[in-house]
Amino acid sequence: MEDITVKWYWPHVEPAAPPARAMTDAPFADRDFVADAQAHFDALANYQVTLKSTSAGAAPVEVLYCYRKPGFVRMDFIRPHAGATLIYSPETGKVTLWPFGFDTFPRLTLSPESRMIKSPKGHRVDQSDLGALLVNVSALQHHGDTQVVGAEAFGMRRASHVIVTGRPGHVVAGVSRYELWFDVNHGLPVKVASDGPSREPIETVLMEDLRIDVPGPQLRSFG
């Protein structure tokens, strides 16, 4: 059988910390976009998005990602491993993997800690949602500086560009700097770039076609 190890990329969660106040002369300097995004995430029931990830030394990853509270996750891989599907259930604490398509043979039941379904940096499927990302950003924000660059065109929409940089020697989940673009309409991030302790690029993730509170019949099944 061919190698069915599934690789994906997303920061894992660390304990939450109170967010810091933005420090910049740019417009909206007193607004905490990270806290606003967290509030929007807390209010939603589900979301669906196409994730496009690029990182140094690795093939691009494209995934149709679905999330439903209290923590159900579904990933349908577009590339690599086209057709593979992962579903995590918080009810069982397990991940179901269909390497060759949803509801086909074989079907594997795995722990979220399984190396087969962790990213190369050890990130877990059950800690891959926007809420987990925002917890990490908030933790770094608490031990660093936040700069609001301003509003920028982002495709056909506009986004608020924010940079969160940890103090020297401080990292969260291996990240010392986050650069984020928050959609001005729904307040959630639509692009995130992360750097390591030496400012080496780790990953850039684009979030396209983000849909929030998708009606049940239109939301992909979680098994």
Side-chain angles (χ1 to χ4, degrees), residues 203-220:
E203 179 185 25
T204 298
V205 179
L206 291 175
M207 285 156 266
E208 297 184 348
D209 304 319
L210 177 60
R211 298 179 63 198
I212 299 168
D213 292 332
V214 180
Q218 299 177 28
L219 191 67
R220 294 206 164 197

Side-chain angles (χ1 to χ4, degrees), residues 151-217:
E152 299 178 2
F154 194 87
M156 300 298 293
R157 314 182 77 167
R158 291 185 65 77
S160 300
H161 185 186
V162 176
I163 300 173
V164 177
T165 306
R167 298 189 187 103
H170 188 84
V171 298
V172 173
V175 177
S176 67
R177 183 177 184 267
Y178 284 106
E179 199 164 354
L180 308 103
W181 287 260
F182 296 94
D183 186 283
V184 297
N185 292 318
H186 55 61
L188 293 170
V190 289
K191 180 180 178 180
V192 181
S194 56
D195 294 339
S198 300
R199 291 293 180 88
E200 71 280 10
I202 298 176
E203 179 185 25
T204 298
V205 179
L206 291 175
M207 285 156 266
E208 297 184 348
D209 304 319
L210 177 60
R211 298 179 63 198
I212 299 168
D213 292 332
V214 180

Side-chain angles (χ1 to χ4, degrees), residues 10-11 41 47 65 67 71 73 125-134:
W10 196 256
F41 177 82
Y47 70 88
Y65 184 99
Y67 173 87
V73 173
V125 176
D126 58 334
Q127 299 171 349
S128 60
D129 59 89
L130 285 172
L133 168 68
L134 293 169

Side-chain angles (χ1 to χ4, degrees), residues 59-213:
V61 176
E62 187 171 354
V63 178
L64 179 58
Y65 184 99
C66 300
Y67 173 87
R68 188 185 79 200
K69 288 182 177 175
F72 290 90
V73 173
R74 173 169 173 162
M75 295 182 177
D76 291 278
F77 285 79
I78 300 169
R79 59 171 176 159
H81 313 293
T85 297
L86 292 176
I87 293 180
Y88 169 73
S89 169
E91 295 175 348
T92 63
K94 298 294 184 180
V95 177
T96 303
L97 166 63
W98 292 269
F100 307 114
F102 178 68
D103 212 18
T104 63
F105 182 83
R107 168 178 170 166
L108 307 175
T109 301
L110 305 166
S111 165
E113 297 181 354
S114 171
R115 294 179 59 187
M116 183 180 293
I117 54 173
K118 280 186 178 182
S119 78
K121 296 187 179 298
H123 304 145
R124 296 167 43 149
V125 176
D126 58 334
Q127 299 171 349
S128 60
D129 59 89
L130 285 172
L133 168 68
L134 293 169
V135 165
N136 284 351
V137 176
S138 294
L140 191 65
Q141 194 179 42
H142 185 60
H143 296 281
D145 297 319
T146 303
Q147 177 189 3
V148 179
V149 181
E152 299 178 2
F154 194 87
M156 300 298 293
R157 314 182 77 167
R158 291 185 65 77
S160 300
H161 185 186
V162 176
I163 300 173
V164 177
T165 306
R167 298 189 187 103
H170 188 84
V171 298
V172 173
V175 177
S176 67
R177 183 177 184 267
Y178 284 106
E179 199 164 354
L180 308 103
W181 287 260
F182 296 94
D183 186 283
V184 297
N185 292 318
H186 55 61
L188 293 170
V190 289
K191 180 180 178 180
V192 181
S194 56
D195 294 339
S198 300
R199 291 293 180 88
E200 71 280 10
I202 298 176
E203 179 185 25
T204 298
V205 179
L206 291 175
M207 285 156 266
E208 297 184 348
D209 304 319
L210 177 60
R211 298 179 63 198
I212 299 168
D213 292 332

